[in-house]
Amino acid sequence: MKVLGVVVEYNPFHNGHLYHLKKAKELINPDFTVAVMSGNFVQRGEPAIIDKFSRAEIALEMGIDIVFELPFLYSIQDANGFAFGSIGLLDRTNVVTDVVFGSESADIKTLNIIAETLYKQPEDYQILLKKYLKKGYSFPNARKYALIDYFETKKLLDKDEILIIEKSNDILGLEYLIALKKLNSKIIPHTIRRKGSNYNDENFSGNFSSATAIRKLWKEKKYDLIKASVPSKTFEIIKREEQLGKAPIFIEDFEISFLSYLRTLSRDNLKKYYGVNEGLDQRIIEAAKHTNTIKELYHNIKSKRFTYTRIKRTLLNIYFGITNELIENINNTGPQYLRVLGFTEKGRELLSVMRNRVEYPIITTPSNYISIIKNIERDLKNKRKMWSIDKKTYFKMIEYDFKATNVYSLYYKNKEYSKYELDKKMKIIYRKGKV
Amino acid sequence: MKVLGVVVEYNPFHNGHLYHLKKAKELINPDFTVAVMSGNFVQRGEPAIIDKFSRAEIALEMGIDIVFELPFLYSIQDANGFAFGSIGLLDRTNVVTDVVFGSESADIKTLNIIAETLYKQPEDYQILLKKYLKKGYSFPNARKYALIDYFETKKLLDKDEILIIEKSNDILGLEYLIALKKLNSKIIPHTIRRKGSNYNDENFSGNFSSATAIRKLWKEKKYDLIKASVPSKTFEIIKREEQLGKAPIFIEDFEISFLSYLRTLSRDNLKKYYGVNEGLDQRIIEAAKHTNTIKELYHNIKSKRFTYTRIKRTLLNIYFGITNELIENINNTGPQYLRVLGFTEKGRELLSVMRNRVEYPIITTPSNYISIIKNIERDLKNKRKMWSIDKKTYFKMIEYDFKATNVYSLYYKNKEYSKYELDKKMKIIYRKGKV
């Protein structure tokens, strides 16, 4: 049995995603395809434009058999943490055999050689890394120069080959490979060349608009142009959610809440939050006091040392009170559950196979999250089944998923949907019939 | 030289305030009158309807010679902390000779006897208090019954006399008296009977509407009725501030910011904040998840044990990260500076008298708050002048004043005024000429 796993955000699902999924399936020819998808907040440190329930619904229509939710605490981390969480989750399904990821280079052999070095951290490499860090280079640059020197000495790779680690998808791909090694996973990684516009391209470019471009079109209410860039199911759900008053959601909707809260903080409170270091605390405190828009806030915090996404993610960490300690812990334990947002009729078969294999709970009814643990404890006591769960981390992790949804839902224009804990109220999405 | 001190909120200044001020002056016949006034947040746990700068401006027109700002950390505390901060500030002017406060009973003799007991906490009383607390009474009720029993035994006061501690102004008055004792102050306390409608009366009642009633009228834009209840200067400034887009400010304006932030919190994070105990933590967390309006939030947290104002103040403590430790500290040290919001030509004379007498800095230019401390340290080193300041508390206290203003200003409708730290940018209000 071949099971293809993909790591996605689908924010929103567009023609490029469909192309990638089709190519991945052609490459693997899987019996099943599953996705691990970010929830209501995404890796660029922003709320998703449309909520996770709707995005899962679309994914199931487009050929994914099971959509797992990447726990919130991984979804807003840098490439390293994001990859560890998502690959960890796919690994813990105990059914995924292959992962396919988009890549600018599509050069898996080179990526694997670099990943091996970054995973094993040989002493020669560490010395070089320290040297470049001491010279004042940012971590990504120090790493790059250290790798160039290291491989030049070893005569393994030349400079041009190493420079693939400058492209966003290759960087993420590299982290997927490192995560697979760290997890000692049996999953086989594959790459396919990315098609369509660049991730950060804000300009519309025909049928293969980026998710960024599509979000911009939605903000500008250019529905015809969105329609041309997304599968009809995406368009249908976009329209439906907008009519319900649940989408689109933009970071600007959080503007006054974020700024107001930041203005209550002191510099000495900030360092405990993940990502706040190297003087970022002062930049954040000062910027918040002197601006009244979120874009200006980012701009005023920005410096050479900090990328925009780093800043945006860090602000989310502060807002949600996500500490260094917590992230260090979860980047050690990995995901503690497999939360299913939705599945197809075919996906249901796979879920029943999984049930006999997993060492972490499959969560289909999140409101049962406490009784799930009680059952696991009973199993462990009776030695009925092997579970690898860390109870304390499990609770922290899932409660953060709930928090993320509870905060997100407050920003729906239709406040009727803001009155409940949607994670506990929404039924799991089940798509009947063949896709 | 006689200097009258009053403790006020003036939220907003109305005919009842004017009446009180006139009566107080008749009683004392002072050379100067100063007020300690809440800043941008008031004791009922809400933002002031109009900012502290405008409220100070009105007060100077209405017969106050100097307006001091009650530090934010005292302004949102219960009667005990509020009284300790405000009386402490008046005491530290080292010029105030008399304070006058409104009182339902106007029975200063009885209030003083009770205050003496509550200050000295004789053993007999403590035993009675513990007894009633053990029986499950709330603190105010246990205190009341203990006092009744205690004075009955001593044959000092009868039950009816003690019941004066059930009225809001008498309760506050009692705390003023206790604070005076605690501070070993030479200030002489006086009471005058409260005139006009009850503090909590939401209904309009002619020329003596309560501040609550006037805020309600403002919300409903019933300007004619406001005009009848406030001095013309108040009305003029109300209109001016509204036109500038700086008023009115309601707690509802903070709704999404408060709810959103509360939804990020966990129960175990909350107990460190002042006022969060006796199960209030769980009530807050649960209520925040299931409501989308602030009024409903209060309502859902409400129980017999907690009053609305207690809940509202506690929510502000949580939002601003005000810990038990911090409040315990400042309720021990008292105010560390005398921040002047404004003064009249006459007030200026008094300020120059004060300068030679105070042991805590008079702050007229808050942006100098760091250099003020440097000068004090120089004085202390050279033994040039005696200062009683606690540096660490000084910084905490004034930085909280700045935070309160920075948060408040974000909610001005005209966002132009939200871009700066107004405490550092606004010039002190100086009112020339005779009032």
Side-chain angles (χ1 to χ4, degrees):
Chain A
M1 184 178 76
K2 271 194 162 187
V3 179
L4 167 62
V6 290
V7 179
V8 300
E9 295 205 309
Y10 292 163
N11 183 34
F13 192 104
H14 56 61
N15 292 344
H17 293 129
L18 188 61
Y19 172 88
H20 177 276
L21 190 57
K22 195 171 147 251
K23 285 284 157 189
K25 285 185 177 182
E26 281 172 15
L27 186 69
I28 307 299
N29 196 24
D31 300 291
F32 300 94
T33 302
V34 304
V36 54
M37 188 183 83
S38 300
N40 284 325
F41 290 86
V42 295
Q43 214 230 340
R44 59 168 51 221
E46 288 189 5
I49 195 161
I50 178 167
D51 72 23
K52 63 187 182 186
F53 306 108
S54 301
R55 278 157 46 238
E57 198 181 338
I58 297 168
L60 296 174
E61 287 292 329
M62 303 318 298
I64 303 290
D65 297 312
I66 305 174
V67 180
F68 297 101
E69 179 177 354
L70 178 64
F72 172 63
L73 291 173
Y74 295 109
S75 69
I76 59 162
Q77 277 195 60
D78 60 16
N80 184 270
F82 180 88
F84 182 67
S86 48
I87 294 295
L89 199 147
L90 292 177
D91 191 54
R92 286 173 181 184
T93 62
N94 278 353
V95 292
V96 171
T97 53
D98 300 82
V99 289
V100 175
F101 54 88
S103 151
E104 288 86 359
S105 70
D107 182 354
I108 190 111
K109 204 177 132 241
T110 303
L111 285 170
N112 237 325
I113 294 169
I114 300 172
E116 186 71 13
T117 301
L118 292 177
Y119 171 61
K120 290 207 171 143
Q121 299 267 324
E123 206 173 315
D124 299 6
Y125 164 73
Q126 283 189 52
I127 291 165
L128 289 164
L129 179 67
K130 272 178 204 156
K131 185 182 96 179
Y132 283 107
L133 282 171
K134 258 195 187 159
K135 280 190 181 173
Y137 288 101
S138 71
F139 183 80
N141 278 331
R143 184 171 88 164
K144 181 172 72 189
Y145 295 130
L147 285 170
I148 290 169
D149 287 5
Y150 177 78
F151 285 116
E152 214 160 75
T153 322
K154 303 275 167 197
K155 294 192 168 128
L156 262 168
L157 296 173
D158 66 27
K159 195 180 152 182
D160 285 353
E161 286 175 302
I162 292 156
L163 289 183
I164 65 174
I165 67 163
E166 288 192 309
K167 296 274 170 63
S168 62
N169 286 280
D170 281 328
I171 290 171
L172 208 49
L174 198 60
E175 297 294 343
Y176 293 150
L177 297 175
I178 296 169
L180 286 169
K181 290 174 199 295
K182 206 168 150 187
L183 293 157
N184 197 18
S185 174
K186 286 178 196 140
I187 297 174
I188 303 158
H190 312 261
T191 59
I192 49 177
R193 199 175 294 276
R194 260 184 77 89
K195 174 82 184 176
S197 60
N198 186 288
Y199 185 66
N200 289 309
D201 181 7
E202 281 215 8
N203 301 310
F204 179 70
S205 53
N207 288 340
F208 281 102
S209 300
S210 68
T212 306
I214 293 164
R215 290 193 298 272
K216 189 163 175 268
L217 292 173
W218 198 349
K219 191 170 233 171
E220 294 160 356
K221 299 185 181 299
K222 292 179 177 165
Y223 300 107
D224 285 351
L225 294 176
I226 299 171
K227 201 171 182 175
S229 310
V230 301
S232 62
K233 189 69 191 179
T234 299
F235 191 70
E236 185 190 303
I237 290 181
I238 277 178
K239 293 296 275 182
R240 182 193 75 195
E241 291 297 297
E242 182 153 6
Q243 267 158 24
L244 289 172
K246 289 165 74 188
I249 302 277
F250 296 104
I251 188 70
E252 285 79 5
D253 296 323
F254 292 70
E255 190 160 87
I256 199 158
S257 301
F258 278 14
L259 285 169
S260 177
Y261 178 61
L262 289 175
R263 287 185 179 194
T264 71
L265 297 174
S266 300
R267 203 179 156 183
D268 52 339
N269 289 336
L270 288 192
K271 282 178 195 134
K272 65 180 176 218
Y273 300 120
Y274 187 69
V276 183
N277 47 31
E278 304 165 60
L280 198 53
D281 52 348
Q282 190 172 15
R283 297 189 73 83
I284 291 169
I285 292 286
E286 285 307 311
K289 287 190 277 195
H290 296 99
T291 176
N292 52 24
T293 74
I294 196 130
K295 284 278 157 72
E296 206 177 282
L297 177 75
Y298 296 152
H299 183 75
N300 291 353
I301 297 170
K302 182 83 181 76
S303 78
K304 266 191 188 172
R305 285 191 94 153
F306 313 113
T307 62
Y308 274 109
T309 43
R310 160 80 187 274
I311 291 164
K312 287 155 80 179
R313 283 196 295 258
T314 303
L315 291 174
L316 283 180
N317 288 332
I318 294 170
Y319 192 68
F320 280 94
I322 299 169
T323 60
N324 292 310
E325 197 191 344
L326 179 57
I327 295 299
E328 276 161 27
N329 175 45
I330 67 150
N331 284 356
N332 188 33
T333 64
Q336 296 299 302
Y337 50 84
L338 304 152
R339 159 97 187 261
V340 179
L341 287 171
F343 54 92
T344 59
E345 208 167 310
K346 212 176 132 198
R348 186 155 67 172
E349 289 174 45
L350 185 60
L351 274 173
S352 59
V353 175
M354 275 175 61
R355 282 190 205 283
N356 300 315
R357 297 200 194 174
V358 291
E359 291 175 19
Y360 294 88
I362 299 168
I363 300 184
T364 50
T365 313
S367 56
N368 291 342
Y369 78 114
I370 296 171
S371 62
I372 286 166
I373 283 292
K374 285 186 180 154
N375 292 335
I376 285 175
E377 284 180 331
R378 212 174 297 130
D379 284 354
L380 287 169
K381 207 177 154 193
N382 303 336
K383 295 183 182 166
R384 195 156 48 196
K385 181 167 164 28
M386 166 70 186
W387 292 101
S388 302
I389 201 167
D390 174 82
K391 188 177 152 186
K392 212 176 140 191
T393 309
Y394 167 92
F395 279 116
K396 269 275 177 219
M397 199 174 275
I398 196 161
E399 280 163 7
Y400 260 105
D401 290 350
F402 297 160
K403 283 178 190 181
T405 298
N406 295 342
V407 167
Y408 185 92
S409 69
L410 257 186
Y411 298 89
Y412 290 137
K413 267 146 219 81
N414 184 343
K415 299 294 173 197
E416 257 320 292
Y417 299 102
S418 309
K419 289 205 292 192
Y420 316 97
E421 287 202 88
L422 289 184
D423 278 318
K424 294 178 186 166
K425 198 180 161 71
M426 293 284 284
K427 279 207 185 112
I428 194 162
I429 305 153
Y430 174 51
R431 196 209 177 280
K432 267 194 178 167
K434 292 260 180 237
V435 178
Chain B
M1 186 178 77
K2 272 195 163 186
V3 179
L4 166 63
V6 289
V7 180
V8 300
E9 295 206 306
Y10 291 164
N11 183 34
F13 191 105
H14 56 61
N15 292 344
H17 293 129
L18 190 59
Y19 172 88
H20 178 276
L21 190 56
K22 197 173 144 250
K23 286 284 158 193
K25 285 185 178 184
E26 282 172 16
L27 185 69
I28 307 298
N29 196 24
D31 301 291
F32 300 95
T33 303
V34 304
V36 53
M37 188 184 83
S38 300
N40 284 325
F41 290 85
V42 295
Q43 214 229 339
R44 58 168 53 221
E46 289 190 4
I49 196 161
I50 178 168
D51 73 23
K52 62 187 182 187
F53 306 109
S54 301
R55 277 157 46 239
E57 200 181 338
I58 297 168
L60 296 174
E61 286 292 330
M62 303 318 299
I64 303 289
D65 297 313
I66 305 174
V67 180
F68 296 102
E69 179 178 354
L70 178 64
F72 172 64
L73 292 174
Y74 295 109
S75 69
I76 59 161
Q77 277 196 59
D78 59 17
N80 185 270
F82 180 87
F84 182 67
S86 48
I87 294 295
L89 200 147
L90 291 177
D91 191 55
R92 286 174 182 183
T93 61
N94 278 354
V95 292
V96 171
T97 53
D98 301 82
V99 290
V100 175
F101 54 88
S103 151
E104 288 85 359
S105 70
D107 181 355
I108 190 113
K109 205 178 132 238
T110 303
L111 285 170
N112 237 325
I113 294 170
I114 301 173
E116 186 71 14
T117 301
L118 292 177
Y119 171 60
K120 289 206 173 143
Q121 301 265 323
E123 206 173 315
D124 299 5
Y125 164 74
Q126 283 188 52
I127 290 164
L128 290 163
L129 180 67
K130 272 179 205 154
K131 185 183 96 180
Y132 284 107
L133 283 171
K134 258 194 186 159
K135 281 192 180 171
Y137 288 101
S138 71
F139 182 80
N141 279 329
R143 186 171 85 164
K144 182 173 68 189
Y145 296 129
L147 285 171
I148 289 170
D149 286 5
Y150 177 78
F151 284 115
E152 215 160 74
T153 321
K154 303 275 167 199
K155 296 191 168 126
L156 263 167
L157 295 173
D158 67 26
K159 194 178 154 184
D160 284 353
E161 286 176 302
I162 291 155
L163 290 183
I164 65 175
I165 68 163
E166 288 193 308
K167 295 275 170 63
S168 64
N169 285 279
D170 281 328
I171 290 171
L172 207 50
L174 198 61
E175 296 296 343
Y176 292 149
L177 296 176
I178 297 170
L180 286 169
K181 289 175 199 296
K182 204 168 151 188
L183 292 157
N184 197 19
S185 175
K186 287 179 196 136
I187 297 174
I188 303 157
H190 312 262
T191 59
I192 49 178
R193 199 176 295 278
R194 262 185 75 91
K195 173 83 184 175
S197 59
N198 187 287
Y199 185 67
N200 289 309
D201 180 10
E202 280 215 6
N203 301 310
F204 178 70
S205 54
N207 288 340
F208 280 103
S209 301
S210 69
T212 306
I214 293 165
R215 290 193 298 272
K216 189 163 174 267
L217 292 174
W218 198 349
K219 192 171 232 172
E220 294 161 356
K221 298 186 184 298
K222 293 179 177 164
Y223 298 106
D224 285 351
L225 295 176
I226 299 172
K227 202 171 180 174
S229 312
V230 301
S232 62
K233 189 70 191 180
T234 300
F235 191 70
E236 186 190 302
I237 292 182
I238 277 178
K239 293 296 276 182
R240 183 193 74 194
E241 291 298 296
E242 181 152 7
Q243 264 157 26
L244 289 171
K246 289 164 74 187
I249 303 277
F250 297 105
I251 188 70
E252 285 78 4
D253 297 324
F254 292 70
E255 190 161 86
I256 199 158
S257 300
F258 278 13
L259 285 169
S260 177
Y261 178 61
L262 290 175
R263 288 185 179 193
T264 71
L265 297 174
S266 301
R267 203 178 155 183
D268 52 338
N269 289 337
L270 287 192
K271 282 178 195 134
K272 65 180 176 218
Y273 299 120
Y274 186 69
V276 183
N277 46 31
E278 306 165 59
L280 199 53
D281 52 347
Q282 190 173 14
R283 297 190 71 84
I284 292 170
I285 293 285
E286 285 307 312
K289 286 191 278 194
H290 296 100
T291 176
N292 52 24
T293 74
I294 196 128
K295 284 279 157 71
E296 206 177 283
L297 177 74
Y298 296 151
H299 183 75
N300 291 352
I301 297 170
K302 183 80 182 77
S303 78
K304 268 193 189 171
R305 285 193 93 153
F306 313 113
T307 61
Y308 274 110
T309 43
R310 161 79 187 275
I311 291 164
K312 287 155 81 179
R313 284 196 295 259
T314 303
L315 291 174
L316 282 180
N317 288 332
I318 294 170
Y319 192 68
F320 280 94
I322 299 169
T323 60
N324 292 310
E325 198 191 344
L326 179 56
I327 295 298
E328 276 162 27
N329 176 45
I330 66 150
N331 283 356
N332 189 33
T333 63
Q336 295 299 302
Y337 49 85
L338 304 152
R339 160 98 185 259
V340 179
L341 287 172
F343 54 93
T344 59
E345 207 167 309
K346 212 176 132 198
R348 186 156 65 172
E349 288 174 46
L350 184 62
L351 275 172
S352 58
V353 176
M354 275 176 61
R355 280 190 207 284
N356 298 315
R357 298 200 192 173
V358 292
E359 290 175 21
Y360 294 88
I362 299 167
I363 301 184
T364 50
T365 313
S367 56
N368 290 343
Y369 79 113
I370 295 170
S371 62
I372 286 166
I373 283 291
K374 286 187 179 154
N375 292 336
I376 285 176
E377 285 181 330
R378 211 173 298 127
D379 283 355
L380 287 170
K381 208 177 153 192
N382 303 335
K383 297 184 180 163
R384 197 158 43 198
K385 181 168 166 23
M386 166 70 186
W387 292 101
S388 300
I389 200 166
D390 175 83
K391 188 176 151 185
K392 214 176 140 192
T393 309
Y394 167 91
F395 279 117
K396 270 273 178 220
M397 199 173 275
I398 197 161
E399 280 163 7
Y400 261 105
D401 290 350
F402 298 160
K403 284 178 188 180
T405 299
N406 294 341
V407 167
Y408 185 92
S409 70
L410 257 186
Y411 297 89
Y412 291 137
K413 267 145 218 84
N414 183 344
K415 298 294 173 199
E416 257 320 291
Y417 298 102
S418 311
K419 289 205 293 192
Y420 315 97
E421 287 202 88
L422 289 184
D423 277 318
K424 294 179 185 165
K425 199 181 162 69
M426 293 285 282
K427 279 208 186 110
I428 193 163
I429 304 153
Y430 174 51
R431 195 206 177 280
K432 266 194 181 166
K434 292 259 180 238
V435 178

